[in-house]
Amino acid sequence: FFPTGTKNTMVVITTALFVSLLLAIGRADLILDGGDSGWQTNTWYSQVDGVMGGQSSGDLTFLESNSVMSFSGVISLDGGGFSSVIKSFSSAIDLSPYAGFVVELETTSAHDPNNVDAPLGLHLQFHDSNTRYIGYASAFAVPLSSDIGEAVSVYLPQTSFDRGSWIGQPCNDCQINFSSIVEMDIYVLFQEGPFEVKVKKVTAVDDHQSFPSPAVALSSTNEIKTLIDQTIQSGGGLYDKGYQELCIALYRSILNTILSANDSGATSSIVSDRMKNIICSGLQRAETQIGSKANMAWTLRYTLDAILEEMGFTVTSNEQSWRPDPTMNEYQCIGVTTGAYVMQVSNEPTKSPINTTAQPTLSPSLVTFKQPTSSTPLTASPAADVPITQPPPTLSPSQSAFTPLQTEISEAPDNEDNANAAVSSFANTDDVSTSETPTSSASFCSVPFVLIVTTVILAAYCDGFSTSYPTRKSHRCRLHNDSSQLLSSSQSNEQQQPQMNGPSPIITPPPPELNRVPLPAMLAGGLFLFATSVPSSQRSRADKLLRLAQEALRSDPVVTMELGPGIEAGNVYASSKGTVGNVDQLVLQFQINGGNAWAQGITYGVEDENSLRLVALEVANMDAVLNNQSFQVPLNT
């Protein structure tokens, strides 16, 4: 019926359409668990920080004919701080064609104006078959609701799964492979107290989605103030622990809640147009800062402060920081459960929604205004939850909005990246050679040849694990920190979070150079003790510094999760002393005892006429030492 050429063309077109149809069908939404078929209960189990010496609890149950997964417990910050539920897939699944994931939840508490709580932040985390022991997480908050049992959904784009970590320590050079997913987790992290989460379904979806935030009844400005205070306390604490994405999720969630609020029993509108302008302006500005989680968190914190000031409360911190303009109405927003739903208002024709790509845009989302409904998602590309991993900052927006914020770095009024900090250079990060000759401050005992050979073999054994780190299944040789941010690393301006006016930074002189003892010598010499590694004139100061270091190690959750809660600062391998002006300096390389794996610490302290101060502390297990890496313990100096 057709000429030959036309037949061939029709065959090609028909085949192409058929293949496209098959691909479209293949990318239909994929339920990962839950839903009408119920949860696959035998594939889930709970895991708490007890495996790391913590005291948190977690109970996993399935309700309503296995249609709801209930995860509840108590988070304790004593030695840990997390509780989780974990699902292992029977075989690797390919999630790369999907845009993101929708988590359908059921609220477990109702907002109470007489007992206001911050929203609960969660991590949804995936593991791929290439790096099984590294989890890649996206943060979200369970939206506040006026009713128990209200169905709420959150959408998490693939690009938001940017936090790769192992036992809490982030890796900066790893990236998830969504084509080979073998595990899915849900985590509650460092939010002290009881929690309860009910999940109805987790679905991989083909299109970007947004869901309207539940309308919570707010009756007074005092209620809003308390809500903001509680959120800053919770979100700031997460920021302090290095979970900036969780802090952002909480701040965004509460701003969206206020934006969507219903007035209750008020003679005039509690959430004024000026407050809505503040919220929208802050959300819009944060969307232009996706290159820095720290900047985003601070912008949202400033927005919360601006709301308090607009309501007539005095904010005693952040007075000179950036504030949204309450008269600016260039942008309007709709309250959503995750991210931000920002639209531009102008006299020009409305712009079409932009399509989110693998790399989020730097500009705010421009979407067609659509009034949200309670049953259907908003058809717009939501803003990704900051798919950038930054090193944890030294300070955070954790202080109460009504408490003076003590900081070390002052901020330019409208440029968070313009922070200048005096950061000391610490120990030499060059590769350590086993032939390195130590200085006279480190003593060496005579060691039998066979012991040296044994330690070298042990070092090579652990190095075998370290070279294949992404796929190995042993934790025996590593205190994990892939960022290699040693104490000598000077932080760039881009890595400094914005900070408010406060006291001038404490200027600490650079430490004296330390010639580190090589690993084989440490393993061998540690058996015989380095009796003369500290000069007699420095032994009293060294004892004090080791006690401070031991206290800091025991107080850090990452260290205690890896090595155990009862670790001690042990023998000193090497030391280095110096004097600058009236300041005496001491650097110690020491053994860490009492842990579940071999580890060493390096600490730097200074002493003036007032006291001895711990300035820097790093810790590494055998694997990290072999790779010239370490974990820098955060200090409140």
Side-chain angles (χ1 to χ4, degrees):
F1 294 93
F2 297 100
T4 303
T6 306
K7 277 186 178 180
N8 292 338
T9 302
M10 292 299 294
V11 169
V12 170
I13 294 175
T14 303
T15 302
L17 291 173
F18 181 71
V19 171
S20 299
L21 179 61
L22 288 178
L23 290 174
I25 294 174
R27 287 197 303 269
D29 293 351
L30 175 66
I31 297 177
L32 300 181
D33 213 338
D36 295 337
S37 299
W39 289 82
Q40 300 172 7
T41 59
N42 60 340
T43 64
W44 287 89
Y45 65 95
S46 63
Q47 179 173 288
V48 297
D49 55 16
V51 298
M52 308 295 186
Q55 303 297 319
S56 300
S57 63
D59 295 318
L60 173 64
T61 56
F62 295 90
L63 310 173
E64 302 175 20
S65 301
N66 294 336
S67 64
V68 175
M69 181 175 70
S70 176
F71 172 39
S72 60
V74 177
I75 297 298
S76 170
L77 303 185
D78 182 12
F82 75 86
S83 187
S84 65
V85 288
I86 298 170
K87 173 187 175 69
S88 295
F89 294 104
S90 58
S91 60
I93 58 176
D94 184 4
L95 299 179
S96 59
Y98 298 94
F101 307 90
V102 172
V103 183
E104 297 183 26
L105 304 119
E106 188 176 289
T107 58
T108 58
S109 62
H111 172 72
D112 182 357
N114 298 315
N115 186 22
V116 177
D117 288 322
L120 177 67
L122 300 172
H123 267 173
L124 178 65
Q125 182 170 274
F126 290 105
H127 298 249
D128 62 40
S129 60
N130 298 332
T131 55
R132 179 102 191 210
Y133 286 95
I134 298 179
Y136 300 87
S138 176
F140 66 96
V142 180
L144 296 182
S145 171
S146 294
D147 301 303
I148 297 177
E150 180 175 357
V152 293
S153 296
V154 297
Y155 170 74
L156 305 172
Q158 274 199 10
T159 51
S160 67
F161 289 80
D162 64 304
R163 182 188 176 89
S165 64
W166 181 65
I167 64 166
Q169 269 307 107
C171 58
N172 296 331
D173 58 352
C174 52
Q175 186 174 0
I176 188 170
N177 177 14
F178 269 112
S179 65
S180 183
I181 298 300
V182 294
E183 184 180 303
M184 177 171 64
D185 317 326
I186 298 175
Y187 270 80
V188 181
L189 294 148
F190 297 106
Q191 295 160 89
E192 191 171 18
F195 69 89
E196 184 180 12
V197 180
K198 289 185 177 181
V199 187
K200 302 179 69 174
K201 184 168 61 174
V202 181
T203 308
V205 295
D206 188 39
D207 296 319
H208 297 283
Q209 301 179 19
S210 290
F211 298 90
S213 182
V216 174
L218 300 176
S219 58
S220 69
T221 55
N222 283 328
E223 183 180 346
I224 297 176
K225 169 188 174 296
T226 305
L227 185 58
I228 291 176
D229 279 350
Q230 294 292 334
T231 303
I232 288 175
Q233 181 178 355
S234 181
L238 290 164
Y239 189 107
D240 286 339
K241 297 292 186 181
Y243 292 93
Q244 296 173 332
E245 67 285 339
L246 275 169
C247 175
I248 292 168
L250 263 62
Y251 287 179
R252 272 177 168 168
S253 181
I254 212 64
L255 288 170
N256 279 300
T257 291
I258 298 173
L259 193 63
S260 303
N262 286 333
D263 297 331
S264 175
T267 56
S268 61
S269 178
I270 300 300
V271 182
S272 64
D273 289 340
R274 287 171 58 91
M275 290 171 61
K276 293 179 180 179
N277 288 342
I278 288 172
I279 294 172
C280 196
S281 180
L283 290 173
Q284 183 273 330
R285 186 184 199 236
E287 294 312 302
T288 67
Q289 298 173 320
I290 61 172
S292 170
K293 289 184 179 181
N295 287 349
M296 292 189 72
W298 277 101
T299 288
L300 298 174
R301 166 64 190 272
Y302 298 154
T303 305
L304 293 170
D305 288 344
I307 294 172
L308 295 170
E309 292 169 342
E310 178 65 24
M311 294 189 303
F313 297 101
T314 301
V315 179
T316 56
S317 63
N318 310 344
E319 303 96 329
Q320 306 301 318
S321 59
W322 175 85
R323 290 291 188 271
D325 183 356
T327 65
M328 178 181 174
N329 56 7
E330 179 183 356
Y331 297 96
Q332 290 187 3
C333 302
I334 299 174
V336 289
T337 56
T338 48
Y341 194 97
V342 183
M343 58 197 161
Q344 191 171 32
V345 179
S346 68
N347 294 326
E348 300 175 0
T350 304
K351 297 184 179 181
S352 300
I354 60 173
N355 293 322
T356 303
T357 61
Q359 296 298 323
T361 59
L362 294 178
S363 59
S365 301
L366 304 177
V367 300
T368 305
F369 184 92
K370 177 181 178 181
Q371 189 66 28
T373 65
S374 59
S375 59
T376 59
L378 306 177
T379 57
S381 300
D385 269 344
V386 281
I388 298 293
T389 300
Q390 294 262 345
T394 56
L395 294 176
S396 72
S398 62
Q399 291 83 352
S400 168
F402 300 92
T403 303
L405 180 67
Q406 302 299 321
T407 63
E408 296 181 1
I409 304 173
S410 60
E411 180 217 15
D414 201 22
N415 183 359
E416 292 82 352
D417 293 329
N418 190 21
N420 297 314
V423 181
S424 299
S425 174
F426 191 57
N428 188 354
T429 61
D430 293 337
D431 290 339
V432 177
S433 169
T434 55
S435 63
E436 180 181 357
T437 303
T439 62
S440 58
S441 61
S443 66
F444 285 84
C445 304
S446 298
V447 182
F449 174 76
V450 65
L451 186 56
I452 291 290
V453 173
T454 301
T455 55
V456 170
I457 293 173
L458 179 60
Y461 169 73
C462 286
D463 188 47
F465 278 99
S466 66
T467 55
S468 59
Y469 159 65
T471 56
R472 78 177 191 277
K473 297 184 178 181
S474 172
H475 298 174
R476 72 190 76 180
C477 296
R478 188 177 186 83
L479 178 67
H480 176 73
N481 183 7
D482 284 315
S483 62
S484 300
Q485 294 295 322
L486 305 181
L487 299 180
S488 60
S489 300
S490 296
Q491 300 181 25
S492 65
N493 286 343
E494 291 74 19
Q495 294 173 334
Q496 297 288 348
Q497 77 282 14
Q499 312 210 2
M500 279 55 70
N501 291 342
S504 300
I506 299 174
I507 308 299
T508 302
E513 182 177 356
L514 174 71
N515 288 319
R516 306 187 186 198
V517 175
L519 179 61
M522 282 192 292
L523 294 174
L527 302 176
F528 297 93
L529 306 184
F530 287 94
T532 61
S533 57
V534 179
S536 58
S537 62
Q538 298 294 319
R539 288 180 183 174
S540 176
R541 181 175 291 126
D543 289 341
K544 295 177 184 177
L545 183 58
L546 287 174
R547 285 196 293 270
L548 293 176
Q550 177 176 291
E551 181 180 351
L553 290 172
R554 289 181 172 182
S555 301
D556 187 83
V558 173
V559 175
T560 56
M561 280 193 295
E562 173 71 9
L563 298 179
I567 54 178
E568 298 176 350
N571 304 313
V572 177
Y573 297 125
S575 67
S576 177
K577 64 184 181 69
T579 301
V580 177
N582 64 341
V583 176
D584 293 317
Q585 307 164 279
L586 184 62
V587 180
L588 302 175
Q589 180 186 16
F590 62 95
Q591 180 176 337
I592 296 176
N593 296 330
N596 51 35
W598 181 93
Q600 71 155 13
I602 297 180
T603 185
Y604 171 40
V606 296
E607 186 173 17
D608 54 20
E609 64 275 7
N610 296 319
S611 63
L612 176 66
R613 182 164 59 90
L614 182 64
V615 175
L617 176 62
E618 69 177 43
V619 59
N621 68 3
M622 193 178 300
D623 191 10
V625 171
L626 288 166
N627 286 279
N628 197 32
Q629 298 176 342
S630 65
F631 168 65
Q632 181 173 340
V633 179
L635 301 175
N636 295 321
T637 57

